[in-house]
Amino acid sequence: MRLLVTGAAGFLGGAAVRACAAAGHEVRGLVRLPQQAAAVASLGGAAFVGSVLDPAALASAVVGCEAVVHLAQARSVPEARPGEVRVGGAAALLQAARAAGVRRFVVGSGYWVYRDNPGTIVEESPLEPLGISAINLACEQTVRRGAGSELEVVVVRPGMVYGAGSWFQEMVEELRDGSYRFVGDGGNHLSPLDLTDAGEAFRVVVESAPHGSTFLAVDDRPVRTREFAQHVAELARAPEPTGISPEEAVRRWGPESARLTSADRRASNARLRALGWAPRRRTYRDGIPEVVRRLAGPGVDGVRRG
């Protein structure tokens, strides 16, 4: 099929472009700057230069498309107000998609919309979005409310997607210089996902997810934050990571970020697996070593010790 991916030069957007193009789909990647076109081409897509906030550009980009995947983030438009790219962009893309007769609209969101949960998070678990998660939920709601009966809407909520970029690269750098901290004893759980597997999740959803469905995209093994950080530090030959008190976390990062960082999120991928997806990297221990080697350059031994 022919589809449009917004945020195509970004972390998740690039993974979605690569996965869909590799499966034989004709992928258009919306990028804001002409110099980002080469990155999309290297992933197998065809770049379309324009802003997700420009209705005219979107109207041209979606012509002939059967599906759109909205993954553009605020950092792609630095001058935009908070939420404008995710929510305002979703509304503009929705209008263009409906006018062009697009069949499917896939919203990329995140599992941070869920409430801190000591059990297992499934798609219907209680929500309590904080910070940027509230923006992601507003994006989901904007598309669901405005889709009408002719447009199929599917939401994907990835967990902690790691790869050679974005937050994971920042984590490795902080571990190396000794500034990384988890909250308390780091006993809260997170649910990781390899970046390539995240791209495959979007491909499978684009191809076969039922209208109105929501999917968590995580690997097979949740992990305690402390264990995850220790493993990355060991591979990167970085100092042993340590924790800070919840009170200090609030002082450093603010109450919302502190709560997000310390929340327990053991998520299930059962629904996505039932759709035919399976993670290539079943646990973080399968995927992290390769990513750290890529970040280190010639090899893990090239990462300096703290």
Side-chain angles (χ1 to χ4, degrees), residues 41 51 58 66 76 84 103 113 118 141 152 168 180 186 203-204 232 237 255 257 301:
S51 171
L58 292 176
E66 297 175 60
S76 65
E84 189 172 5
R103 177 174 61 86
V113 299
Q141 294 169 337
E152 301 171 357
F168 186 75
Y180 175 85
R203 176 191 65 80
V204 170
V232 177
R237 303 187 185 277
S257 292
D301 290 341

Side-chain angles (χ1 to χ4, degrees), residues 24-273:
H25 299 297
E26 182 183 336
V27 185
R28 294 177 180 172
L30 186 71
V31 295
R32 191 172 65 95
L33 302 173
Q35 54 265 39
Q36 295 172 319
V40 175
S42 72
L43 300 171
F48 193 102
V49 180
S51 171
V52 74
L53 301 177
D54 181 352
L58 292 176
S60 297
V62 298
V63 170
C65 289
E66 297 175 60
V68 297
V69 182
H70 184 41
L71 291 169
Q73 298 286 340
R75 68 182 62 183
S76 65
V77 187
E79 67 275 15
R81 298 185 302 273
E84 189 172 5
V85 171
R86 297 295 296 137
V87 183
L93 183 58
L94 180 66
Q95 182 176 355
R98 292 187 64 180
V102 172
R103 177 174 61 86
R104 171 158 297 189
F105 195 121
V106 177
V107 182
S109 182
Y111 87 150
W112 297 99
V113 299
Y114 291 100
R115 181 182 302 169
D116 183 359
N117 191 328
T120 298
I121 294 174
V122 296
E123 283 78 3
E124 290 77 24
S125 292
L127 305 179
E128 188 181 40
L130 298 170
I132 193 171
S133 296
I135 294 174
N136 275 334
L137 185 60
C139 177
E140 295 180 22
Q141 294 169 337
T142 295
V143 176
R144 289 197 191 278
R145 286 195 299 262
S149 59
E150 70 278 12
L151 187 62
E152 301 171 357
V153 176
V154 183
V155 172
V156 182
R157 294 171 176 163
M160 295 293 290
V161 180
Y162 60 83
S166 192
W167 69 273
F168 186 75
Q169 182 169 350
E170 295 172 6
M171 178 184 183
V172 171
E173 292 169 355
E174 290 177 0
L175 284 165
R176 291 171 64 187
D177 65 25
S179 64
Y180 175 85
R181 296 292 184 270
F182 47 74
V183 180
D185 66 357
N188 60 301
H189 290 81
L190 55 86
S191 295
L193 182 66
D194 175 78
L195 180 60
T196 299
D197 289 325
E200 282 295 307
F202 281 100
R203 176 191 65 80
V204 170
V205 165
V206 164
E207 292 175 348
S208 56
H211 168 52
S213 53
T214 298
F215 294 89
L216 281 158
V218 296
D219 70 18
D220 289 344
R221 182 189 168 189
V223 57
R224 293 187 186 277
T225 300
R226 178 184 63 251
E227 179 185 341
F228 185 85
Q230 288 171 339
H231 184 66
V232 177
E234 180 181 356
L235 291 170
R237 303 187 185 277
E240 178 83 6
T242 59
I244 56 174
S245 69
E247 295 77 18
E248 177 64 17
V250 170
R251 285 193 292 271
R252 288 190 183 197
W253 307 324
E256 287 193 348
S257 292
R259 285 176 63 189
L260 283 170
T261 304
S262 60
D264 218 332
R265 288 189 170 83
R266 284 176 284 193
S268 168
N269 63 18
R271 180 175 294 176
L272 190 55
R273 273 186 166 276

